Amino acid sequence: DTTKWNVLASGSGGIWDSTLSLGSAGQFVKVNSGASALEFGTVSSDYVKLATATANGSSQSINLDGFFTSDYDYYEIIGTDVFSSTNSTMRGRVIVSGSAISSSSYDWAFTVPYRNSGGTALDTVGAWKDTDFRMNYNGQGTSINDHTTIHMKIFSPLSSGRKYIDFQSRGSTGVNNEIGTAYGGARLENAGAISGIQLLTASGNLTGTFKLYGVK
């Protein structure tokens, strides 16, 4: 009885046309380019997770390598539940053609406001022509209870100029039950494209999860 019912959809194209396939796994419903129907398509994102690396405490370092391309303007690494077996500081190096650069090529500095049982203070730390760059203050604890979180930004890794890295780390250590957040940056003096980042401790074995994101 057509006086009691209205047509909801009737082969007008897009996903409602029964002659079309369902789409591919992971696709989403979107409006077509002509804004006349719905269809399946792949969502484009300007912030994409590219890789995850997990350090399980069996070695001093871990690499995120081979993911830098011209598709992204810069990259971010977020490290969570990071600590070392010896409560040592967190460090970083760049990777070129699969090998971490450990020569005296890094300039770095950071400022850290911190609080411990003795009071609150502000300190600055840095180095010139170091063999790596340091990202936290007195250490990062030896267990999940006193861990560090790290947020890094790597700019223009494929360019021919000097490489710049910004970072922020928050940590709580066994040194007077200290809590502090470091804000700083590093520079690789050598020019040329880099392929990745190595994360390591000054001593002891590394534990933590590190996720690499590309940003357009």
Side-chain angles (χ1 to χ4, degrees):
D1 186 347
T2 57
T3 63
K4 301 294 194 299
W5 296 87
N6 292 320
V7 175
L8 179 62
S10 180
S12 58
I15 64 171
W16 307 119
D17 190 332
S18 61
T19 64
L20 298 179
S21 65
L22 183 62
S24 302
Q27 289 187 322
F28 294 82
V29 177
K30 66 177 184 178
V31 177
N32 65 9
S33 59
S36 59
L38 298 175
E39 64 184 10
F40 288 101
T42 302
V43 173
S44 175
S45 175
D46 291 340
Y47 193 93
V48 179
K49 185 174 75 171
L50 302 174
T52 300
T54 301
N56 58 14
S58 62
S59 63
Q60 187 178 353
S61 65
I62 195 168
N63 294 349
L64 283 164
D65 190 26
F67 300 100
F68 294 158
T69 69
S70 58
D71 294 336
Y72 302 97
D73 297 327
Y74 70 96
Y75 295 82
E76 296 187 7
I77 294 176
I78 297 177
T80 55
D81 299 335
V82 180
F83 57 92
S84 76
S85 59
T86 60
N87 191 30
S88 67
T89 55
M90 188 69 196
R91 306 295 179 111
R93 289 173 175 156
V94 303
I95 300 173
V96 177
S97 300
S99 299
I101 302 301
S102 58
S103 59
S104 300
S105 304
Y106 301 92
D107 311 321
W108 60 268
F110 63 75
T111 299
V112 54
Y114 66 92
R115 170 77 199 197
N116 58 34
S117 59
T120 301
L122 180 69
D123 203 353
T124 56
V125 182
W128 190 259
K129 296 188 182 302
D130 207 347
T131 56
D132 50 35
F133 57 91
R134 177 174 156 188
M135 288 182 284
N136 63 348
Y137 193 43
N138 279 336
Q140 51 195 328
T142 57
S143 72
I144 193 66
N145 293 324
D146 290 311
H147 62 274
T148 292
T149 57
I150 295 171
H151 186 186
M152 303 171 59
K153 294 182 179 180
I154 303 101
F155 299 93
S156 303
L158 302 183
S159 72
S160 59
R162 290 175 171 173
K163 301 301 174 290
Y164 290 89
I165 298 172
D166 291 346
F167 54 82
Q168 175 183 338
S169 71
R170 189 275 313 151
S172 174
T173 75
V175 181
N176 295 323
N177 197 27
E178 189 172 85
I179 175 69
T181 302
Y183 304 90
R187 177 180 67 184
L188 176 67
E189 292 187 351
N190 298 350
I194 64 176
S195 60
I197 296 291
Q198 182 181 75
L199 302 147
L200 68 155
T201 62
S203 67
N205 289 340
L206 175 66
T207 296
T209 299
F210 304 91
K211 296 181 180 180
L212 174 67
Y213 297 85
V215 185
K216 295 182 179 180

